[in-house]
Amino acid sequence: MLHWFTRLADWVTYSLLQLSPDTPLANGVHFFVEDTTKILVLLTTLIYVIAIVRAGLNPERVRYYLQGRRRFPGYLMGSVFGAVTPFCSCSSIPLFMGFVSARIPLGVTMAFLLTSPMINEIAVVLLTSLLGIRFTVIYVVIGMTLGIVGGFLMDRIRAERWLVPFLAQQYQSRETTEAIDYQPQAMTLKDRHQFALEETRTVVGRIWKWVFIGVGIGAFIHGFIPETWFQTYLGAGQWWTVPLASLAGIPLYVNATSVIPVMGSLLAKSVPLGTTLAFCMSAVAVSLPEFMMLKQVMQYRLLLMIAAYLLVAFCLVGWLFNAVNFL
C-alpha cells in the first residue's frame, strides 16, 4: 500500500509539475506530497478503526488491564509495538492519538511514541549491514529502554494533566470512577459506524492543517539543508559536539530508515560514533514537525519535558559511545 503514496508523489512531482529529478525543489515537493497523503490516510483509517473498536468495548476494562500491576508490562508492550511499526515520528502520531482518545495510560502511549520513530525492521537490517549485529542489538535495546523509561517518568509526574483540556478531563474522570462495569456496550453495527465517523471527523478536522504545516517545514528542510554542514562542524569529537549534534537534529524530518545512510556518511567523514548517534536519534525522535502536531494534544510544558528528556538521554548515549568502542 505504501508504494501507492510514492507513485502519487512521483506523478505530481515529475509528470504534473514536470520538476527535474534530484533537485532541491523536486525533493521537497516529492517529500511533501508523499508524506502528507500517507499521514492523512493513516490518520483517517486508524482513528476510524480504533473508534469502531471503542464503540463495542468497554474502555474501563482496557484501562484496568494496563494499570496497577500491569503497568510495567504495558510500557514494554508499548515499546515493542513501537519497534515493530514501520512509521516515522509523524506517521506514528495517529496511533498515539487513538491510544490517548481511548484513555490508555499516557505512559504506555508515550513508550510507543518514543520508540516508534527510532526503530523499525528495515532500519534494523540496514544498520546490521552498516555496523554489524552487535551494535544493532545495542541500538535496539537503547531505543526501547528510552521508550520504557520515558513512559514510566510520564506516569510518575502524572503528565496527563498537561494534555489539552478536553483530553485531560477524560483522564481526570477516570480517576473519579469508583466502579468498573465490564459489560460491553450494546450497539448495532450502524451505531458503531456513526460513532466512528463522528470521532474521525472531529479528530481529523482538528489536526489536518497542522499536518500540512509540519510536513511542509520538514519538506523544505529535507530538500534544501545540505548534509555537508554537519560533516564540517561535528567531526572534531570534543565533548560539546554531542549536545550540538543533538540540537542540530531537531529541525530535520527523517525516519529511522532514511537516517541510516546519513549515519554511514557521517561515520565515513570521521564524525565520532557517539556524536553521529546523538544526531541521528535526535533527527528521528525530536523532529520539529512531530512536535508541531503533538501541540494539538499537549500543552507546551509537556512538550518541553519530552524534548528535554530525549535530548539529555541522547547526550548521555552519545558520550558513552564516544568513550567506549562498541563496534
Side-chain angles (χ1 to χ4, degrees):
M1 176 181 176
L2 294 180
H3 68 278
W4 295 345
F5 302 115
T6 302
R7 291 181 179 179
L8 174 62
D10 288 342
W11 178 78
V12 172
T13 305
Y14 308 124
S15 299
L16 182 63
L17 299 179
Q18 297 184 345
L19 298 177
S20 300
D22 299 324
T23 61
L25 180 59
N27 291 338
V29 170
H30 190 280
F31 184 92
F32 178 81
V33 173
E34 180 176 0
D35 274 55
T36 299
T37 53
K38 178 176 66 177
I39 291 170
L40 288 176
V41 170
L42 283 171
L43 176 69
T44 303
T45 303
L46 292 172
I47 293 299
Y48 177 84
V49 170
I50 291 172
I52 285 285
V53 174
R54 286 182 56 210
L57 296 176
N58 192 323
E60 295 293 346
R61 188 169 190 174
V62 179
R63 292 197 295 271
Y64 177 78
Y65 178 79
L66 292 173
Q67 289 173 348
R69 69 183 188 278
R70 297 286 188 177
R71 187 65 59 90
F72 280 96
Y75 300 145
L76 179 60
M77 290 169 58
S79 182
V80 169
F81 185 55
V84 299
T85 49
F87 300 144
C88 65
S89 55
C90 287
S91 300
S92 62
I93 290 177
L95 275 177
F96 171 82
M97 292 184 63
F99 293 160
V100 170
S101 65
R103 290 189 292 169
I104 301 301
L106 187 62
V108 176
T109 67
M110 195 59 63
F112 161 78
L113 187 69
L114 296 178
T115 305
S116 181
M118 290 189 284
I119 305 172
N120 65 54
E121 62 274 19
I122 302 174
V124 167
V125 172
L126 293 176
L127 196 58
T128 301
S129 65
L130 177 66
L131 296 175
I133 186 64
R134 180 168 175 263
F135 176 82
T136 302
V137 171
I138 295 173
Y139 175 82
V140 170
V141 170
I142 288 175
M144 293 184 62
T145 301
L146 291 179
I148 293 170
V149 172
F152 170 74
L153 292 177
M154 291 300 106
D155 277 342
R156 290 293 293 176
I157 65 174
R158 296 178 61 245
E160 61 269 16
R161 296 175 293 169
W162 299 311
L163 295 173
V164 292
F166 80 96
L167 289 177
Q169 291 172 3
Q170 292 181 13
Y171 276 106
Q172 291 168 2
S173 66
R174 176 199 67 194
E175 296 175 356
T176 59
T177 302
E178 297 181 357
I180 299 177
D181 179 13
Y182 294 123
Q183 297 300 320
Q185 301 177 22
M187 298 182 68
T188 66
L189 182 60
K190 182 179 179 180
D191 292 336
R192 295 183 185 184
H193 171 68
Q194 291 298 326
F195 174 85
L197 282 181
E198 184 62 30
E199 189 88 350
T200 303
R201 278 195 291 264
T202 299
V203 175
V204 175
R206 183 177 295 113
I207 200 173
W208 70 267
K209 57 182 177 295
W210 295 101
V211 172
F212 276 80
I213 293 172
V215 177
I217 294 174
F220 174 81
I221 295 171
H222 183 82
F224 291 92
I225 301 298
E227 297 176 9
T228 54
W229 183 92
F230 305 102
Q231 298 170 357
T232 301
Y233 293 101
L234 300 178
Q238 296 93 333
W239 71 267
W240 50 264
T241 61
V242 172
L244 178 61
S246 298
L247 293 173
I250 293 177
L252 301 183
Y253 178 55
V254 294
N255 58 32
T257 302
S258 59
V259 84
I260 301 301
V262 177
M263 179 182 292
S265 175
L266 295 175
L267 292 174
K269 295 297 183 179
S270 300
V271 177
L273 176 60
T275 306
T276 299
L277 193 58
F279 168 74
C280 292
M281 294 180 79
S282 177
V284 300
V286 200
S287 71
L288 182 60
E290 175 194 19
F291 275 68
M292 290 186 63
M293 282 183 272
L294 282 178
K295 176 60 182 68
Q296 298 308 294
V297 295
M298 298 180 183
Q299 298 180 24
Y300 283 115
R301 180 185 300 183
L302 182 54
L303 287 174
L304 290 175
M305 287 181 179
I306 294 171
Y309 163 73
L310 288 174
L311 290 176
V312 170
F314 296 156
C315 286
L316 293 175
V317 170
W319 286 325
L320 175 64
F321 275 78
N322 277 350
V324 181
N325 184 14
F326 286 94
L327 295 180

